[in-house]
Amino acid sequence: MDMDYTATQSGFRQRKLYPKMKNTSMDGTDPSQLFDDTSAAPGVQPAGFPGQGVGAMGYPGQTLLSDPMSNLAMAYGSSLASQGKDLVDKNLDRFLPISKLKYYFAVDTVYVGKKLGLLVFPYMHQNWEVSYQQDTPVAPRFDINAPDLYIPAMGFITYILVAGLALGTQNRFTPEILGMQASSALVWLIMEVLAVLLSLYLVTVNTDLTTIDLVAFSGYKYVGMIVGVVAGLLFGRTGYYLTLLWCCISIFVFMIRTLRLKLLSEAAAQGVLVNGARNQLRMYLTMSIAAAQPIFMYWLTYHLVR
């Protein structure tokens, strides 16, 4: 023990000096160390954790993967998942033929331009038959008479945007009203297609029209609706009524000349007049579908122009 003397005002004060001792715990570890040292070799057990050597036990997944029963269970599970995926794809394609949707979107700029012109001015068009290649219809970009879903889909979206613009110019725009406008147009479209399908079933018409074809033909009216609303925004209600009247007549002629080859294919192929009660029902059904288009066009647009 060393002695140290410190000078004070009253004299010297004696102070004892003790040697510094390292602060260690009872088990020999440093208490200031927060975590155990795991940098030792795999075979060395860390301090404070006896009996937990990594090298002795190995990884738990190694035992699971080396078990033949586990491998068999994994293979069986993969097989079930593959079968379930095939079943879902088959049923989904049954109700919503995704593979066939590619055909209806096979369009280009030239086709879209010609089709829009045909929808607005169908009076000079002569050949309305759809072209076929090896018993399958050609893609829409190669045949202007082929139905497509690109114009109806873009027409529906554009109609909602134009409706929002019309409501905004009248200080009536709200997200709720625009949502109701979109949902109303979609519901009317679904109801129209279901009504046509039910009518075809009741009349027992043997036609190659599919549900997607009906959706496409029913969606072409959005083109005339957009033109009418835009004319109303530019020229007022007079411009709206005149333009919508033209578009209604055009879509009526377009639907008559298109559907008569689908619903009256037998008589049209033979080039004879429509006779018989069943053929007259088909003619009435064709005219009803065509006449419904102007009604929907006016019903969905008259409140947008003031």
Side-chain angles (χ1 to χ4, degrees):
M1 179 184 303
D2 298 334
M3 304 297 292
D4 185 19
Y5 296 89
T6 305
T8 61
Q9 294 180 354
S10 60
F12 294 89
R13 185 180 63 184
Q14 184 177 1
R15 185 176 64 178
K16 297 180 180 181
L17 299 179
Y18 295 93
K20 295 182 178 180
M21 298 179 64
K22 185 177 181 181
N23 188 12
T24 57
S25 59
M26 298 297 296
D27 57 355
T29 60
D30 189 358
S32 62
Q33 183 178 355
L34 298 179
F35 303 98
D36 295 312
D37 187 8
T38 59
S39 61
V44 180
Q45 297 182 357
F49 295 88
Q52 294 185 359
V54 180
M57 296 181 61
Y59 297 98
Q62 294 179 353
T63 305
L64 179 62
L65 294 178
S66 60
D67 189 1
M69 295 301 296
S70 301
N71 296 333
L72 182 60
M74 292 178 61
Y76 183 69
S78 301
S79 178
L80 288 180
S82 179
Q83 293 178 3
K85 181 178 180 299
D86 295 339
L87 183 62
V88 171
D89 293 341
K90 184 183 298 183
N91 292 331
L92 183 62
D93 189 72
R94 178 181 177 183
F95 296 100
L96 184 61
I98 300 178
S99 59
K100 295 182 180 180
L101 290 178
K102 297 179 180 179
Y103 165 82
Y104 292 92
F105 286 95
V107 300
D108 55 10
T109 306
V110 177
Y111 168 83
V112 173
K114 291 182 178 180
K115 193 74 171 192
L116 292 177
L118 183 62
L119 292 172
V120 177
F121 195 84
Y123 310 104
M124 302 300 295
H125 192 63
Q126 299 296 329
N127 184 16
W128 292 87
E129 296 183 358
V130 178
S131 301
Y132 284 82
Q133 183 179 6
Q134 296 180 355
D135 297 334
T136 57
V138 298
R141 63 174 177 267
F142 301 118
D143 185 12
I144 192 176
N145 297 322
D148 70 283
L149 287 178
Y150 177 81
I151 293 178
M154 294 297 104
F156 179 83
I157 297 174
T158 307
Y159 161 71
I160 300 302
L161 297 177
V162 172
L165 177 62
L167 294 173
T169 55
Q170 303 168 15
N171 296 325
R172 296 190 296 143
F173 175 82
T174 58
E176 292 78 11
I177 294 180
L178 188 63
M180 292 179 59
Q181 189 73 24
S183 60
S184 176
L186 184 60
V187 168
W188 280 114
L189 178 64
I190 296 175
M191 292 179 61
E192 178 186 356
V193 173
L194 292 178
V196 174
L197 289 175
L198 179 61
S199 301
L200 292 175
Y201 174 76
L202 295 177
V203 180
T204 63
V205 177
N206 186 15
T207 178
D208 58 350
L209 277 175
T210 62
T211 305
I212 303 179
D213 292 336
L214 295 177
V215 173
F217 288 129
S218 299
Y220 285 140
K221 61 176 172 285
Y222 293 118
V223 176
M225 294 164 56
I226 295 170
V227 175
V229 174
V230 172
L233 293 177
L234 297 177
F235 307 105
R237 295 189 67 87
T238 303
Y240 162 75
Y241 283 116
L242 293 177
T243 306
L244 187 66
L245 179 61
W246 175 273
C247 294
C248 288
I249 297 175
S250 299
I251 196 66
F252 179 81
V253 174
F254 173 83
M255 295 294 286
I256 286 290
R257 295 185 176 180
T258 302
L259 294 179
R260 70 181 179 87
L261 297 178
K262 300 291 185 179
L263 303 181
L264 304 173
S265 57
E266 298 178 1
Q270 298 175 2
V272 298
L273 297 178
V274 179
N275 297 319
R278 180 172 297 182
N279 287 335
Q280 289 183 358
L281 287 177
R282 294 179 180 181
M283 175 61 74
Y284 293 151
L285 179 59
T286 303
M287 296 185 65
S288 300
I289 297 174
Q293 306 306 310
I295 297 176
F296 284 117
M297 292 172 66
Y298 175 76
W299 176 257
L300 294 174
T301 57
Y302 78 97
H303 60 283
L304 298 176
V305 179
R306 291 185 176 180

